[in-house]
Amino acid sequence: MKFYIVDCFAEEKYQGNELLVLKADRPVSDEEQQKIAREINFSETTFILSDKKEDGGYDVRIWTPNSGEMPFAGHPTLGTAYVIRHCYEGSSNDTVKLNLKVGQIPVDVTEDGMTMSQNPPEFGEIMTREEIAEIYGIEVDEIRDDFPIQWASTGLEAVIIPLKAREALSKLVTDKEKFMAYVGRHSKNYCNHLFFVDMGNNIFAARCLMEDFVEDPATGSANGDLAGYMIHHNYFGSDDVRYTVYQGEDMGRLSVLHVHAALKDERWTIEVGGNCHIVASGEWD
């Protein structure tokens, strides 16, 4: 199988979120897909399992090293579409469609690089500032009280947490015991937790702490959740907004995500985009 290592949501190589993409030229069992994802040990690995189909899409599956298959994830969708366009379509098409577990996801070529459209958001439970502060080692008053801590999903769920200052964002540390107790109280919310700080001028800083106690340098799915949250809670006082998120800075893997969210006539637009760079390719035995 041909493989590619791609840096996603990266302004240059060796930034953003790493991804392994494989183009299957033979049958690959679920067991082997899981073993390959575990071998490379990136947060996600994708497999392109078909050429372009009659519906215009490519069958793609997404795997984590230890948690199995994912129905959707942001940087794997972006990076896989980038590989398909540049390595298999000759950069001829301005839209690449991926057939994922959540349905068909289009990824368009834009001025921001590649931009994926996400599903309409769903919103769930609101959590208290006290329990989030206890888990992540910050003070209650470092979490904003003018916007809620809320579960949201555009295909892969995240809990959205607004912080007051960049300093609070930098010092987040997960207490595993307290996190597991929290999961027991909110079983549906055993998922990513996206913290964000408003830096002004439609710029946000963010960190995404994962359910397996690792940090993600760029999380397209959770930033799609944040985009829906912004509109749902009228954060900008507008139903059509564009802004930029910087993530991964505290890990030394700067990621830049360009976001567009809108709600018009009960129809949602959730778009998250950024640049990708192929840093290596070869044959996977």
Side-chain angles (χ1 to χ4, degrees), residues 103-125:
Q104 189 172 88
I105 299 294
V107 183
D108 297 318
V109 178
T110 68
E111 62 182 11
D112 296 322
M114 302 286 286
T115 297
M116 60 185 160
S117 297
Q118 299 187 22
N119 290 336
E122 300 176 1
F123 302 99
E125 185 178 7

Side-chain angles (χ1 to χ4, degrees), residues 212-268:
D212 52 2
F213 307 116
V214 298
E215 183 169 355
D216 204 19
T219 319
S221 57
N223 274 285
D225 302 337
L226 174 60
Y229 170 101
M230 293 293 201
I231 296 291
H232 184 63
H233 292 290
N234 198 32
Y235 189 94
F236 292 96
S238 171
D239 58 7
D240 192 331
V241 300
R242 295 180 184 272
Y243 59 91
T244 299
V245 176
Y246 291 91
Q247 189 181 331
E249 291 178 282
D250 295 273
M251 302 174 63
R253 296 281 309 190
L254 175 65
S255 304
V256 182
L257 302 93
H258 302 284
V259 182
H260 174 220
L263 178 59
K264 185 175 182 181
D265 298 328
E266 299 185 354
R267 296 189 63 179
W268 282 93

Side-chain angles (χ1 to χ4, degrees), residues 122-133:
E122 300 176 1
F123 302 99
E125 185 178 7
I126 292 175
M127 274 64 77
T128 67
R129 293 192 300 159
E130 286 75 13
E131 60 184 344
I132 295 298

Side-chain angles (χ1 to χ4, degrees), residues 36-234:
I36 291 171
R38 190 173 296 124
E39 179 73 16
I40 198 70
N41 205 34
F42 291 162
S43 58
E44 280 99 9
T45 292
T46 66
F47 294 83
I48 305 168
L49 297 174
S50 76
D51 294 324
K52 184 182 287 188
K53 305 183 78 171
E54 289 186 4
D55 63 4
Y58 294 78
D59 290 348
V60 173
R61 297 179 73 180
I62 304 170
W63 294 80
T64 67
N66 300 304
S67 301
E69 187 174 8
M70 303 286 284
F72 170 73
H75 88 273
T77 299
L78 198 79
T80 304
Y82 182 86
V83 167
I84 289 171
R85 182 173 188 266
H86 287 272
C87 301
Y88 295 99
E89 294 193 340
S91 302
S92 59
N93 290 333
D94 288 337
T95 299
V96 176
K97 298 176 182 178
L98 305 189
N99 297 329
L100 304 175
K101 293 292 185 181
V102 295
Q104 189 172 88
I105 299 294
V107 183
D108 297 318
V109 178
T110 68
E111 62 182 11
D112 296 322
M114 302 286 286
T115 297
M116 60 185 160
S117 297
Q118 299 187 22
N119 290 336
E122 300 176 1
F123 302 99
E125 185 178 7
I126 292 175
M127 274 64 77
T128 67
R129 293 192 300 159
E130 286 75 13
E131 60 184 344
I132 295 298
E134 179 183 46
I135 295 165
Y136 292 104
I138 57 176
E139 300 297 327
V140 171
D141 63 6
E142 292 182 290
I143 302 174
R144 293 175 62 167
D145 60 4
D146 52 343
F147 290 93
I149 301 168
Q150 187 171 26
W151 182 98
S153 177
T154 59
L156 185 65
E157 68 270 15
V159 175
I160 307 300
I161 303 123
L163 298 181
K164 294 180 180 179
R166 185 67 180 80
E167 291 75 16
L169 192 69
S170 295
K171 68 181 184 180
L172 295 168
V173 177
T174 306
D175 184 308
K176 295 183 179 180
E177 183 177 342
K178 292 176 180 177
F179 180 82
M180 295 310 298
Y182 159 83
V183 168
R185 298 192 299 270
H186 306 283
S187 58
K188 187 178 181 181
N189 301 308
Y190 183 54
C191 58
N192 305 330
H193 285 64
L194 185 76
F195 296 80
F196 74 94
V197 176
D198 191 334
M199 305 298 289
N201 298 317
N202 285 11
I203 300 291
F204 293 83
R207 290 180 68 185
C208 190
L209 303 183
M210 316 287 278
E211 68 272 13
D212 52 2
F213 307 116
V214 298
E215 183 169 355
D216 204 19
T219 319
S221 57
N223 274 285
D225 302 337
L226 174 60
Y229 170 101
M230 293 293 201
I231 296 291
H232 184 63
H233 292 290
N234 198 32

